[in-house]
Amino acid sequence: MRSDAGTPSLIPGPPARDDGTAAIAAAGGLHEYQLRLHAEYGPVVRFPLPGAGLAVSVADPVLLEATAKIDKRPEKLFEFLAPLQESGNLQTIPADEHGPWRRVMLSVLAGRPSHEAHFARFTALAAELAGRWEAHDGPVALQRDLSELSLRMICQYALGSGLESPDSAARVVAAFETVLTEYMGQAGDGAGDRAQEALAYLRATVDQVLTAHRERGDAAPAGRSDLIAALAEAGESPARIRDTVLMTMLAAHHTTGVAISWTLYLLARHPDAAERVAEELDRVLGDRSVPEYGDLRRLTYLDMVLRETMRLYPPGPYGAREATEDLVLGEYTVPAGTTIFYPFRAVHTNPEYWPDPQRFDPGRFAPEASAGRPRLAYIPFGIGPRSCEGAALATVEAQLVLAVLLKRFSFRMAPGQTVTPIERFVLWAAEDIHMTVAPRAST
């Protein structure tokens, strides 16, 4: 965006002396930098965004409505993902390609029949983790273990079968971490041999499943993947199917795992809320140790706790779009081609819509409290046609895992740790979150 392009140059913001890298690093990451910018300059801020030139960040949910139909992401910001995909960058494919592809994805990922069909397997995987934690001596690392669990869940969902063991899940997680770390930090120099080997391993893992899927055909429909079948039926190429599966696994294993982790962290810090969740689980589940699919809609307070957690710690802390036409944002007009930045945490802590915004209060999501709030005041999965296709599935997974774990255990923070949110593709904890896990008695 040019500094002389009309009113954008009048939008308040820091001096654009460089590309912003130093200021972001000094703040401790882009998520913290955004909070500071909006606290200082207001709900609409211009700032230098590395890889995008000058961007306009919007933290007001009413003003965000003007951007809600944009179906374009800034290509430069998502270039780091391009080497992971051979069929075109799924994050930035043009709207005419993206629309049909998204509809296929939503037909599967957002569908209750598909969720319900996989629920028993998801439950078994969560119970298996709980069993390992119960047998474990010492604190557990929440984000490590829960990321592996959610990866196994999404593999079972997207590929039609789960990873064979926690060890194989850990290997896939490690491969993802290697690929992301090196591709995100390559600075144009190309990823090293280690990242190339990790990417080749991930592709080979998916290819094996796709081959088995084609060979089984209709002979074993129960073992087939709804997602792969839908993509194949829509005429997507094998490369596009593989890339879609990999991107689905990538997005789901990080985001769901960290959302569950931050929820357990906040409940450990707020024992009154934890006790209320436990009481609700005992009331709804009775003597059962795990929920059935129909129980989730009755776990209303647990759902409020999860939503409040994702308000304070949205798994993906920000997003971005590229304006495809001139936009009016309050008193400002920004031209087509401008990078519009979505600072989810700043939106979620805007004091005009969230009084005492840093306080953990699940009651904010009670129906009466939510009634007058703008619809874009809470956007943990993004907004518009580029929002997360897996939002409904992620919510079911998170509610299920939390129900299994909180019905069975009480959680306490391991002593001597400092939990610091950082950016690692998602909003991670710098040194993980370590908890002591103790069995709780059901009432």
Side-chain angles (χ1 to χ4, degrees):
M1 186 178 71
R2 304 189 312 272
S3 62
D4 61 348
T7 56
S9 61
L10 304 178
I11 295 175
R17 299 190 182 96
D18 52 33
D19 69 353
T21 301
I24 292 168
L30 189 52
H31 67 294
E32 291 289 347
Y33 185 53
Q34 287 300 304
L35 294 175
R36 296 183 187 184
L37 284 180
H38 285 287
E40 182 173 355
Y41 296 104
V44 182
V45 179
R46 55 155 180 80
F47 74 107
L49 178 63
L54 207 60
V56 173
S57 183
V58 185
D60 186 294
V62 175
L63 298 181
L64 281 175
E65 288 285 357
T67 75
K69 295 183 180 180
I70 299 176
D71 193 353
K72 182 175 176 58
R73 284 196 177 109
E75 292 188 9
K76 287 186 177 181
L77 288 182
F78 292 87
E79 281 180 346
F80 74 95
L81 289 171
L84 282 70
Q85 299 162 82
E86 296 179 332
S87 63
N89 192 330
L90 295 176
Q91 300 298 313
T92 59
I93 56 176
D96 59 346
E97 280 188 78
H98 175 252
W101 175 83
R102 177 179 171 83
R103 285 192 289 273
V104 174
M105 296 289 286
L106 287 172
S107 72
V108 181
L109 294 173
R112 172 173 174 161
S114 189
H115 300 168
E116 198 164 7
H118 291 83
F119 195 79
R121 179 57 180 158
F122 288 171
T123 304
L125 290 171
E128 180 184 317
L129 174 64
R132 286 195 286 121
W133 277 2
E134 190 165 35
H136 180 74
D137 185 21
V140 298
L142 293 188
Q143 294 191 330
R144 179 197 66 196
D145 290 353
L146 289 166
S147 289
E148 291 179 9
L149 171 63
S150 55
L151 177 63
R152 295 180 73 194
M153 286 181 168
I154 198 61
C155 284
Q156 192 279 332
Y157 188 91
L159 302 178
S161 61
L163 295 178
E164 293 301 320
S165 69
D167 288 342
S168 60
R171 184 178 178 189
V172 171
V173 170
F176 271 129
E177 294 295 339
T178 298
V179 168
L180 282 175
T181 299
E182 295 213 19
Y183 278 110
M184 288 181 73
Q186 62 180 284
D189 297 329
D193 292 342
R194 188 162 165 263
Q196 296 284 2
E197 291 172 2
L199 180 56
Y201 165 72
L202 291 174
R203 286 176 171 162
T205 299
V206 177
D207 278 341
Q208 289 174 5
V209 176
L210 297 183
T211 298
H213 184 272
R214 288 192 296 269
E215 290 175 349
R216 285 196 306 265
D218 294 330
R224 298 183 68 187
S225 160
D226 296 339
L227 180 59
I228 292 173
L231 290 166
E233 185 177 346
E236 297 287 0
S237 68
R240 174 63 60 84
I241 294 173
R242 180 177 68 180
D243 287 351
T244 298
V245 169
L246 278 175
M247 290 305 298
T248 301
M249 291 164 58
L250 170 65
H253 99 271
H254 271 104
T255 51
T256 308
V258 297
I260 299 167
S261 302
W262 287 119
T263 304
L264 295 174
Y265 166 74
L266 286 172
L267 287 174
R269 294 183 58 195
H270 298 86
D272 290 348
E275 183 177 352
R276 185 170 170 183
V277 169
E279 290 173 351
E280 180 180 72
L281 286 166
D282 289 341
R283 183 175 67 254
V284 172
L285 302 188
D287 293 335
R288 290 179 288 131
S289 61
V290 297
E292 297 175 355
Y293 182 78
D295 292 324
L296 296 186
R297 64 182 177 82
R298 301 168 59 200
L299 297 173
T300 55
Y301 188 71
L302 177 64
D303 180 64
M304 290 160 58
V305 166
L306 177 61
R307 290 173 183 269
E308 175 69 346
T309 297
M310 290 194 293
R311 182 185 71 83
L312 291 167
Y313 296 99
Y318 39 74
R321 303 289 187 269
E322 182 179 314
T324 52
E325 59 185 17
D326 292 356
L327 295 175
V328 176
L329 299 174
E331 61 187 293
Y332 308 109
T333 300
V334 296
T338 300
T339 295
I340 305 296
F341 193 82
Y342 295 160
F344 298 155
R345 291 188 82 192
V347 174
H348 288 179
T349 54
N350 185 325
E352 185 172 349
Y353 305 99
W354 303 101
D356 195 4
Q358 298 302 327
R359 181 169 59 91
F360 175 70
D361 178 12
R364 299 179 197 272
F365 290 93
E368 61 276 12
S370 302
R373 194 176 296 137
R375 73 181 187 99
L376 299 183
Y378 178 69
I379 50 174
F381 297 105
I383 67 175
R386 295 277 175 168
S387 61
C388 175
E389 291 84 9
L393 175 63
T395 300
V396 167
E397 289 179 336
Q399 290 173 336
L400 165 62
V401 174
L402 287 166
V404 170
L405 296 178
L406 292 167
K407 174 68 172 169
R408 188 163 176 172
F409 301 122
S410 59
F411 291 83
R412 290 188 178 181
M413 298 291 297
Q417 65 177 314
T418 300
V419 177
T420 304
I422 62 169
E423 296 159 36
R424 279 179 52 192
F425 193 66
V426 293
L427 196 62
W428 202 263
E431 302 295 333
D432 212 311
I433 303 171
H434 299 272
M435 293 272 193
T436 58
V437 177
R440 60 171 290 266
S442 297
T443 58

